[in-house]
Amino acid sequence: EVQLVESGGGLVQPGGSLRLSCAASGFTVSSNYMSWVRQAPGKGLEWVSVIYSGGSTYYADSVKGRFTISRDNSKNTLYLQMNSLRAEDTAVYYCARGHGDYWGQGTLVTVSS
Amino acid sequence: DIQMTQSPSSLSASVGDRVTITCQASQDISNYLNWYQQKPGKAPKLLIYDASNLETGVPSRFSGSGSGTDFTFTISSLQPEDIATYYCQQYDNLLGTFGQGTRLEIK
């Protein structure tokens, strides 16, 4: 059974950092393209970052230069390193497989002083 | 960037009604379009992929059509459990983009 479980969210001050994790089971992360999608409170969905099976990475303009997507093949886990966090980064962050056939339950990131 | 314009932003309909949501891409995306259902506090659920293919386990009252820039999502007979927000999403580009969402309510 395919499962994605995010962790690492929490409250952080503006300018701070967090690393989100997405542990996958039932499939191999490195054989798929994987995404991070976020949803600000009461708002719509925003695609944040993608990592392709070959290792290429892409970012939304809103996070470029601040966020880094990566994966650990030995742990079958996807990561999102978030630096220089801003209030507008406050959102539930989801990891998703491929075009979005499977999603995690989401982890809340709150950026506030 | 490819922009997705989804309409309407909200919709009120009665049980049994036929409901239609449209999504327009700012450029040709072939059939690289998904439709999702999201209920409060839950992750989005994939309903339709490649514009018109029903995801496994999704009821047949849900359907999608279109290609190029214009797409349609239809619920043939609205059920109470269909109350949710629906999103289109293109994945023709390296980084996908979502429509603004359609909040569906029961009249």
Side-chain angles (χ1 to χ4, degrees):
Chain A
E1 180 194 2
V2 171
Q3 206 169 12
L4 295 166
V5 179
E6 299 100 336
S7 60
L11 175 64
V12 62
Q13 292 188 338
S17 299
L18 275 179
R19 188 178 81 155
L20 306 183
S21 300
C22 172
S25 57
F27 74 101
T28 302
V29 164
S30 60
S31 299
N32 289 265
Y33 92 74
M34 300 292 297
S35 302
W36 286 99
V37 176
R38 69 184 180 183
Q39 187 169 36
K43 302 297 184 182
L45 299 164
E46 179 187 17
W47 215 300
V48 172
S49 183
V50 170
I51 182 167
Y52 282 84
S53 55
S56 299
T57 59
Y58 300 92
Y59 301 90
D61 287 344
S62 57
V63 306
K64 203 172 295 183
R66 301 187 297 123
F67 289 12
T68 303
I69 190 171
S70 64
R71 66 191 181 208
D72 184 329
N73 296 343
S74 67
K75 295 182 179 180
N76 209 34
T77 298
L78 178 74
Y79 300 100
L80 186 68
Q81 177 67 44
M82 305 186 296
N83 299 330
S84 302
L85 283 161
R86 306 167 180 166
E88 55 264 35
D89 296 318
T90 294
V92 174
Y93 285 73
Y94 298 99
C95 63
R97 185 180 79 165
H99 303 314
D101 57 350
Y102 288 95
W103 294 62
Q105 83 288 355
T107 187
L108 176 62
V109 172
T110 303
V111 184
S112 175
S113 54
Chain B
D1 291 358
I2 299 175
Q3 308 301 318
M4 304 301 295
T5 303
Q6 185 176 339
S7 62
S9 57
S10 64
L11 178 57
S12 182
S14 300
V15 172
D17 281 355
R18 183 180 184 87
V19 170
T20 298
I21 299 169
T22 63
C23 199
Q24 185 171 61
S26 60
Q27 64 189 67
D28 189 336
I29 59 169
S30 185
N31 66 334
Y32 297 123
L33 186 99
N34 288 340
W35 289 98
Y36 293 93
Q37 176 192 69
Q38 187 180 33
K39 296 185 177 181
K42 299 295 187 181
K45 176 186 176 183
L46 181 64
L47 300 180
I48 303 287
Y49 64 95
D50 293 346
S52 61
N53 294 297
L54 196 65
E55 179 73 351
T56 303
V58 173
S60 59
R61 65 181 180 272
F62 297 100
S63 65
S65 65
S67 66
T69 60
D70 295 303
F71 301 87
T72 300
F73 172 80
T74 300
I75 306 173
S76 60
S77 178
L78 185 66
Q79 300 301 304
E81 61 267 31
D82 299 336
I83 298 313
T85 300
Y86 293 83
Y87 293 92
C88 63
Q89 171 231 328
Q90 68 81 19
Y91 50 93
D92 179 63
N93 212 7
L94 294 172
L95 201 63
T97 48
F98 292 91
Q100 301 93 323
T102 296
R103 179 175 291 184
L104 181 55
E105 299 174 339
I106 293 286
K107 195 180 290 183

